[in-house]
Amino acid sequence: MEFRNIAIIAHVDHGKTTLVDAMLRQSGVFSEREEVVDCIMDSNELERERGITIYAKNASILYKDVKINIVDTPGHADFGSEVERILRTIDSVLLLVDAYEGPMPQTKFVLRKSLELGLKPIVLINKIDKPTARPDEVVDMIFDLFVELGATPEQLDFTYLYTIGKQGIAKKSLTDDSKDLTPLFETILEKVAPAASNVSVPMRMQPANLAYDNYLGRMAIGRVFEGTVRVGMNVTVIRPDGSREAQKITNIFTHEGLKRCEVKEALAGDIVQIAGIPNIYVGETIAEDPNAQMLPVIKVDEPTLAMNFMVNNSPFAGREGKYVTTRQIRERLEKELQTNVGLHVDFPDGGDEFRVSGRGEMHLAVLIEQMRREGFELQVSQPEVIMHKEGDILMEPIEQVVVDVPEVSSGIVIQKLGARKGDMKNMVARDGSVRLEYEIPTRGLLGLRGEFMTDTRGEGTLSHNFLKFAPHRGSIERRTTGSIISGENGKTTGYAIDTLQERGTLFVAPGLDIYEGMVIGMSSKAESMTVNAIREKKLTNMRASSADIAIQVAPPLDMNLERALEYIDSDEYVEVTPQNIRIRKKHLKETDRKRADRS
Ligand SMILES: Nc1nc2c(ncn2[C@@H]2O[C@H](COP(=O)(O)OP(=O)(O)OP(=O)(O)O)[C@@H](O)[C@H]2O)c(=O)[nH]1
Ligand SMILES: [Mg+2]
């Protein structure tokens, strides 16, 4: 059989998963009666809720007897290194670009990686149905980006199509009257080289990703480079340091549509998932011949952000979680390391705090969210950027940032980014909105999103992408407001909340259990304040008791996990349980807090 292996890559939300959906539908993957939800590839519960792809996924379609393996990749910057690894398993990419937004930071990142690997991208100008679409302008912008990234003359001569992923339409020119994706399928057959399929030599393959199965254990996902892989085959695993280990392959799976199918063997060119090698890792070589050469090692990017995970020891500890002990948290993190390639965890001897490092706020937040859904209760510290030293110089990560904001809010945004040590690189105004490009320390971005949303009344977009390490730019003030802290244990009252409202933004509604040292709001002043939120109105007669219920208070700010992580200071923790997200001071008692401040 002939194979074509492609990945679909783009900036977040430009429409990858929607287009893959349409490709699956039109190639007859689903039966007539099957009810198919939108973005069926976003199968994980968190993905469906957030409307984004978190995990790369493989699927395949059959078109004119050719098996097209498609990898749908995540567009969010935190998962960029996963995309980079996947590019090693495919022969071409579909580079999708929104016909209005044009190339964005993650477009640039994934395109750069593709060009470096010598791939020849097929460009898709997507969402041309949008009233604001400007497809021709966007083609020019993409061409300029290819030039900027040093594309070779062959790469620069890229094929492009116009698409409406949502309607399953692709066309070669804007005036074509196409009704389906035929032009896209034909372009793939024509432009993507058939996967090299030398089956006359001993087998070699390389995992680009990991998966976990409760029965089969750790599995390797990768492409069979040459030869044929068979169940029961004795293989040699070659590690990057050159050491070799004998292993045996017990199960092999390929993809048919969205289904994982168990097979007895798979040929060179196909993308497979194999079991039987318990400690297999990304970038190692699996070879049939014990003396085989190793394939070029795949580098896994280092983490950029770290935080501590620990047992919840707040006064409400253990009330809501099913798994609450240090041992349970430790085991869960060890299991996560089986498949979460970009993650690092330090397990200190006998300690009860685990240092968990990942590729960004979203990467870590997704893990915490997943854990709380499984019934875990834990406490986490403020995320911190990971820096390193080059000689005597402290180096910190710098990100490339693109913001689109309404013209009226550009002033405040420029001021805020400047205060966070951002360097403006470009500024373009168009149709009442402004696009600003910055280089800014990752530190400066932490905690910015909430403020940015408020400053642009929810109309701005901000995307960022790791650019480089550079010398530390000096201190950045992260939060300019203090916390409103409860001084008592008890239940909040409408009366107390009503009087506290004017002092800041509250996170709690009336009738909620709180404890001394719990952060119940954000002050409008720089200093923190300790307050009484359980106070009852002195009753003068019996009828007044119902008055408390009648008080109208503004709805509290919903502190979800990401907002809480963004908000907390170094002397605060986020308490995470299956039911609640609370913020607390590390030192619960006011006297302890004051003592800690002085030291
Ligand atoms: N107008 C229009 N909207 C589209 C089109 N294709 C996708 N969308 C919408 O764009 C949004 C994002 O689509 P997704 O397919 O989830 O985007 P994605 O690139 O997979 O996003 P990530 O996986 O998070 O990077 C959804 O609301 C889609 O309905 C299109 O052709 N036209
Ligand atoms: Mg997606």
Side-chain angles (χ1 to χ4, degrees), residues 1 3 197 199 224-229 265-272:
M1 186 188 283
F3 298 101
S197 55
V199 290
V224 185
F225 273 86
E226 52 194 12
T228 303
V229 61
E265 59 171 45
L267 306 179
D270 208 352
I271 297 177
V272 299

Side-chain angles (χ1 to χ4, degrees), residues 353-380:
E353 284 193 16
F354 307 120
R355 185 83 170 157
V356 182
S357 327
R359 295 284 301 164
E361 279 174 308
M362 169 88 113
H363 185 200
L364 294 173
V366 162
L367 169 61
I368 299 168
E369 191 63 47
Q370 198 80 47
M371 287 175 72
R372 84 183 264 245
R373 271 158 210 249
E374 294 167 15
F376 279 87
E377 173 173 329
L378 70 160
Q379 206 165 255
V380 300

Side-chain angles (χ1 to χ4, degrees), residues 305-309 354-356 364 368 380-384 565:
L305 204 64
M307 58 203 286
N308 293 338
F309 284 28
F354 307 120
R355 185 83 170 157
V356 182
L364 294 173
I368 299 168
V380 300
S381 69
Q382 182 189 42
E384 288 170 79
L565 290 178

Side-chain angles (χ1 to χ4, degrees), residues 196-209:
S197 55
N198 185 359
V199 290
S200 60
V201 294
M203 191 282 297
R204 278 199 303 171
M205 68 167 287
Q206 184 174 46
N209 222 341

Side-chain angles (χ1 to χ4, degrees), residues 10-19 39 42 51-53 72-76 96 126-130 163-167:
H11 187 73
V12 66
D13 260 2
H14 280 195
K16 297 173 290 295
T17 307
T18 305
L19 184 73
C39 285
D42 288 342
I52 65 158
T53 305
D72 182 27
T73 65
H76 192 280
L96 202 77
N126 192 37
K127 306 197 191 184
I128 54 168
D129 60 313
K130 274 191 177 176
T163 54
I164 310 173
K166 226 167 153 176
Q167 297 168 21

